[in-house]
Amino acid sequence: MGTGHYFWALFYFASLCSASLANNAKINFREKEKKVLDQILGAGKYDARIRPSGINGTDGPAVVRVNIFVRSISKIDDVTMEYSVQLTFREQWTDERLKFDDIQGRLKYLTLTEANRVWMPDLFFSNEKEGHFHNIIMPNVYIRIFPNGSVLYSIRISLTLACPMNLKLYPLDRQICSLRMASYGWTTNDLVFLWKEGDPVQVVKNLHLPRFTLEKFLTDYCNSKTNTGEYSCLKVDLLFKREFSYYLIQIYIPCCMLVIVSWVSFWLDQGAVPARVSLGVTTLLTMATQTSGINASLPPVSYTKAIDVWTGVCLTFVFGALLEFALVNYASRSGLNKPNMHKENLKKKRRDLEQASLDAASDLLDTDSNATFAMKPLVRHPGDPMAMEKLRQCEVHMQPPKRPNCCKTWLSKFPTSWLDIQCSRSKRIDVISRITFPLVFALFNLVYWSTYLFREEEDE
């Protein structure tokens, strides 16, 4: 009986041990968070108004490390000079008063959703215009307290931030938009912000902007001194490059087309007054409308932008084409259409030479007294100088005509030749304009693009 009792006692003890282990395995240690939170945040045990101590419990300033995750950039507005960004903002610091027992690693961290339960840094965004938290479906914020007293604060916010822009190179410009974070009330003697080591700023991979490209971003410090003390400040500079393809299609190519269309007036007949006037006025009004539309999408700044130079010169070319027709019309109606005196002198000399040749040929003809004509034989008598002179003149006039030069004949078909223009003064103005306007516009394009692209590389 003693051995049997001993066996059943041992079996019962083993059953109790296995049941205890099973109950321990089913315990949710998260349920013990309430006890731990009551223990470290209970009444009279923690005061959220008092800042944490410095590094290693010293009396130095509390150190808060910051990192951000840029989730999206919705717009960059040139008129109001601002941009909107949505980001996940994180702060991490150590508060020695919040240490707790992790129950042999079972409690990795405690989670809070009420920020007023613990001390929080008084950080604010110094260049913020508007901002709001996200509360759908629940407030997008959490606080994690780790066993060593480290506190992680994370929140999702949307901000509209000021971004002062320099538009001198617009639309070939690059803009730097900053995100500044500073302490509002605690000076550097009590609170210091530092960027988190490693990768303090992350940007979503599929970030897409309609008219800009995020080239890079830089982190820096921007501590500010006032008459109340020095305040810790962090900033991140976002470098945006404007996408030029949009402006090339919407502005530059249409302006070039309008300028070229205004040159069609040079190829119309000077008597087609309604056609040339309608073409000039239409292109001028279209170019003016294009210019006003461009300026409406930009802020009124005191300096000259690159787009102002382009539209101004294009408008000048269109206006010049209209003035050119006014000059042509005036030249055709005034006394400027008289023949050139140089050409008249050449024609007069040519007529004199032809008359002299006819007189020399008539000397070879002799008339008798009976009004009958007879050809004298061309007999050369020795010692007769008159016969030699008449023979020489006859040989000159009897020479076969020279073959025309093919090149001169081909060039004479084109009235644009400076040497062969046989047209009026008003027509010559049109011919000169056909060459001058495209050459000057091509030279302007060369200077414009080389200047602004070179300045863009210098700024970069």
Side-chain angles (χ1 to χ4, degrees), residues 204-220:
V204 65
K205 292 183 180 180
N206 57 349
L207 180 65
H208 177 71
L209 296 172
R211 290 186 297 171
F212 287 89
T213 300
L214 179 61
E215 287 192 330
K216 59 182 178 181
F217 51 87
L218 302 173
T219 57
D220 201 358

Side-chain angles (χ1 to χ4, degrees), residues 26 209 234 258 301 407:
K26 294 179 181 179
L209 296 172
L234 302 177
L258 287 174
V301 293
C407 294

